[in-house]
Amino acid sequence: MASSSQLLPLELIDKCIGSKIWVVMKNEKEFTGKLLGFDDFVNMVLEEVTEYERTQEGYKTRQLEQILLNGNNICSLIPGGNGPVDN
């Protein structure tokens, strides 16, 4: 059991429900959106989503109403993140 000074990974994700999150995938894609929910495998449902795909020219974006992300393909999660910045 976690002590009061410790925060487990799934507890941190749970605190992000209803908030903006930046999800970096193992492939060339990244997503930002509002986290609606997740399961024990960290499969995630996001809404008001912006998808970023890395290309040689920079980032290609598209808007999605909702998306289900497979937890096996998630590399990192950034609570409150705004997504990649194309320099």
Side-chain angles (χ1 to χ4, degrees):
M1 183 165 205
S3 70
S4 61
S5 64
Q6 203 173 30
L7 186 63
L8 297 174
L10 290 179
E11 292 173 338
L12 176 61
I13 299 169
D14 190 55
K15 288 180 177 281
C16 294
I17 291 178
S19 299
K20 189 167 187 177
I21 193 164
W22 174 13
V23 182
V24 180
M25 306 300 284
K26 291 180 180 177
N27 58 20
E28 300 297 314
K29 294 187 179 183
E30 302 178 30
F31 299 89
T32 60
K34 185 166 78 171
L35 179 62
L36 292 183
F38 69 99
D39 63 14
D40 288 342
F41 301 102
V42 194
N43 298 313
M44 307 184 103
V45 178
L46 303 179
E47 72 175 0
E48 300 168 14
V49 179
T50 302
E51 175 187 42
Y52 300 87
E53 184 172 7
R54 275 174 280 183
T55 66
Q56 290 180 339
E57 296 80 34
Y59 283 98
K60 177 179 150 188
T61 64
R62 72 177 176 153
Q63 302 299 312
L64 303 165
E65 188 175 317
Q66 247 184 18
I67 193 166
L68 169 64
L69 300 175
N70 184 316
N72 285 331
N73 297 319
I74 293 173
C75 181
S76 65
L77 303 169
I78 300 97
N82 291 320
V85 177
D86 191 13
N87 293 326

